[in-house]
């Protein structure tokens, strides 16, 4: 059954005019009155719906009833990633959404190849949020991954509060000796570096903010592989 995100609140049963984005998807698929679809607004529930009218500029649907599926990870996981180069961020956002991360914080560090700021950073964030929404539509998630505004690593670390009692912070480092073990806290924050890794000074600054340096094994993983390996482990543990 086709499944679409809508950027307006879905509150109660009844007829609804679809926003432009979702309406475009329905038109591309050439759905007809009477066809079934699933809608979600990112707040948690998903709605069973039916197309009632198709037009060139307007698509109407009838919201029938809502369900509250349980498809999220057992703990809320945020990835803070010093952005990899090229198009690897698209891949990372897509797969992090599929694997259940609640948020992704793009960062610029000392060894960053991809450096974004200002309007260019805002446009990239909007693009990545679109990637996350599309991945949520495909994977069955009802709460898409949230892409935070791009920041420099020093500014982001400086703005972090002390870890809460229910939060664990992990620093992915090929120089670490401690492996990732069972996590009890309900929230986890993982910091991962770019190609070339984090500098010694960056790792020291992260440890000063409560991050524990961990290793993912004897092999050096790519900048877009390491955070996804962590998510995969948590999804199956």
């Amino acid at each position: 059954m086709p499944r679409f995100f809508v950027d307006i609140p879905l509150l109660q049963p009844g007829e609804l005019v679809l926003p432009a984005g979702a309406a475009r998807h329905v038109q591309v698929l050439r759905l007809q009155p009477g066809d079934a679809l699933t809608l979600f607004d990112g707040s948690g529930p998903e709605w069973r719906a039916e197309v009632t009218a198709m037009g060139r500029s307007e698509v109407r649907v009838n919201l029938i009833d809502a369900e509250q599926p349980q498809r999220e990870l057992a703990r809320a996981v945020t990835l803070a990633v010093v952005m990899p180069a090229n198009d690897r961020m698209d891949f990372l956002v897509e797969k992090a959404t599929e694997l259940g991360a609640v948020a992704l914080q793009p960062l610029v560090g000392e060894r960053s190849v991809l450096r974004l700021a200002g309007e260019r950073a805002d446009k990239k964030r909007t693009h990545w949020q679109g990637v996350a929404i599309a991945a949520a539509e495909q994977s069955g998630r009802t709460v898409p991954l949230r892409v935070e505004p791009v920041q420099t690593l020093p500014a982001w670390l400086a703005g972090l509060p002390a870890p809460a009692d229910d939060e664990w912070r992990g620093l992915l480092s090929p120089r670490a000796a401690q492996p990732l073990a069972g996590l009890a806290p309900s929230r986890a924050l993982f910091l991962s570096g770019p190609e070339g890794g984090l500098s010694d000074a960056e790792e020291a600054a992260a440890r000063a903010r409560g991050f524990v340096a961990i290793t993912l094994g004897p092999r050096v993983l790519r900048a877009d592989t390491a955070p996804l390996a962590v998510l995969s482990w948590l999804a199956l543990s």
Side-chain angles (χ1 to χ4, degrees):
M1 182 185 302
R3 188 171 183 278
F4 305 119
F5 172 81
V6 294
D7 57 0
I8 58 173
L10 303 178
L11 302 175
Q12 60 188 12
E15 194 169 64
L16 172 76
V17 177
L18 284 184
R24 206 159 35 243
H25 289 311
V26 172
Q27 290 164 335
V28 167
L29 290 177
R30 298 184 179 180
L31 299 184
Q32 298 300 315
D35 287 344
L37 66 161
T38 300
L39 302 175
F40 66 103
D41 63 5
S43 65
E46 65 180 15
W47 285 80
R48 189 165 59 96
E50 183 180 278
V51 178
T52 58
M54 285 286 295
R56 290 188 176 182
S57 60
E58 184 177 277
V59 175
R60 290 182 175 270
V61 300
N62 183 43
L63 296 180
I64 300 171
D65 53 34
E67 295 182 348
Q68 187 81 39
Q70 299 300 321
R71 300 183 187 133
E72 299 301 305
L73 295 182
R75 61 182 57 81
V77 180
T78 296
L79 300 178
V81 179
V82 179
M83 298 175 289
N86 302 321
D87 294 325
R88 294 186 184 276
M89 271 295 288
D90 284 27
F91 176 83
L92 180 54
V93 169
E94 179 182 79
K95 301 311 174 188
T97 303
E98 292 178 23
L99 290 168
V102 299
L104 189 145
Q105 173 63 65
L107 298 168
V108 177
E110 287 184 26
R111 296 172 178 168
S112 291
V113 175
L114 179 60
R115 294 183 175 273
L116 299 174
E119 183 179 353
R120 185 165 172 246
D122 293 339
K123 287 182 177 179
K124 277 292 189 181
R125 182 197 180 196
T126 299
H127 167 74
W128 291 327
Q129 192 63 66
V131 171
I133 288 170
E137 291 176 335
Q138 178 275 324
S139 65
R141 288 191 67 181
T142 58
V143 184
L145 173 144
R146 183 179 69 257
V147 181
E148 302 288 1
V150 176
Q151 294 193 59
T152 66
L153 178 55
W156 177 73
L157 287 172
L160 277 181
D165 292 340
D166 66 343
E167 181 189 34
W168 191 85
R169 294 178 178 177
L171 167 64
L172 307 185
S173 172
R175 297 189 287 270
Q178 178 176 326
L180 181 62
L183 299 181
S186 58
R187 293 190 296 143
L189 171 60
F190 291 94
L191 172 59
S192 184
E195 299 85 351
L198 298 173
S199 69
D200 290 343
E202 288 173 328
E203 288 205 7
R207 288 194 296 271
R209 302 304 293 173
F211 285 84
V212 176
I214 56 173
T215 178
L216 298 179
R219 294 167 301 282
V220 177
L221 303 182
R222 283 184 176 271
D224 55 325
T225 304
L228 297 180
V230 168
L231 277 175
S232 299
W233 185 88
L234 291 173
L236 297 173
S237 62

